[in-house]
Amino acid sequence: MSRLMLPLAVFGLLVCSVVSAEEQTKKKAAKGLKAGDSIGAFYVTKVAGAEDDGVEQGEQLCYRCKYGSRPMVMVFARDTGGKLNELVKEIDAAVKANEDAELKGFVTLMGEDASALKDTAAKVAKTSGATSVPVVIAKDNVTGPSNYKIDEKAAITVVLANDSKVVAARKFNSAEKVNVAGVMKVVNKMLN
């Protein structure tokens, strides 16, 4: 009887190890992009902002692709309250101030009602004064781009990238808790 128990115990440990490894992989995937990860393409519809960027309102495109390997700040927002407008205003100012470095930025709104998102996007652009930063809606407007693994619990996710790689990613579970100064500090560090 004890000869049977040893192989069963070993088998049980192996199964537990595989299950544990799968759980860790799922947890890592759910946490989003990390520094050094490649950023992929995703399609959006431009709604407002950045009136002189050569893209018409209502046009579908990949802004990430348009901006190529330039330094960029990508904001993904499920909540447009709190400090989002302040963040967009600061990013817009940084884009204007860093034309030589070719800094780019865009704000992607996410939610279930595409029509309401369009109205909200126009308000965000107007309230924040986004003249250099487009406000867009992701093709996958509920979850955002799947290849970015945006945490569904995050109200706002900020991804900073350069040379098509993530420099830093920050997520905020409340739009009220967005650390605007902290994000802008990372933007400045990325450019210098």
Side-chain angles (χ1 to χ4, degrees), residues 110-174:
M110 300 179 298
E112 294 191 18
D113 185 348
S115 178
L117 286 175
K118 288 179 184 177
D119 292 340
T120 303
K123 289 176 188 171
V124 168
K126 184 177 181 180
T127 304
S128 65
T131 58
S132 298
V133 174
V135 183
V136 303
I137 298 171
K139 183 177 178 183
D140 302 323
N141 60 303
V142 175
T143 61
S146 61
N147 55 341
Y148 280 60
K149 303 176 265 187
I150 298 170
D151 187 337
E152 67 260 0
K153 294 178 185 172
I156 296 177
T157 301
V158 181
V159 177
L160 292 92
N162 196 5
D163 293 326
S164 301
K165 301 271 186 207
V166 175
V167 172
R170 303 287 187 267
K171 66 179 181 177
F172 304 95
N173 291 333
S174 164

Side-chain angles (χ1 to χ4, degrees), residues 61-142:
L61 73 152
C62 172
Y63 263 107
R64 180 270 175 262
C65 303
K66 177 178 174 59
Y67 295 158
S69 61
R70 293 178 187 97
M72 67 182 85
V73 183
M74 298 175 278
V75 178
F76 300 91
R78 287 189 176 84
D79 182 346
T80 57
K83 296 183 181 178
L84 178 66
N85 287 326
E86 180 184 345
L87 177 64
V88 175
K89 185 176 185 174
E90 290 294 324
I91 293 169
D92 195 70
V95 168
K96 290 174 190 168
N98 291 285
E99 286 182 12
D100 291 345
E102 298 186 80
L103 177 65
K104 301 294 181 187
F106 61 98
V107 178
T108 304
L109 300 186
M110 300 179 298
E112 294 191 18
D113 185 348
S115 178
L117 286 175
K118 288 179 184 177
D119 292 340
T120 303
K123 289 176 188 171
V124 168
K126 184 177 181 180
T127 304
S128 65
T131 58
S132 298
V133 174
V135 183
V136 303
I137 298 171
K139 183 177 178 183
D140 302 323
N141 60 303
V142 175

Side-chain angles (χ1 to χ4, degrees), residues 6-27:
L6 182 61
L8 285 174
V10 170
F11 178 74
L13 287 173
L14 287 173
V15 169
C16 289
S17 296
V18 170
V19 170
S20 178
E22 284 179 15
E23 287 175 9
Q24 288 177 354
T25 301
K26 285 180 185 177
K27 284 180 183 176

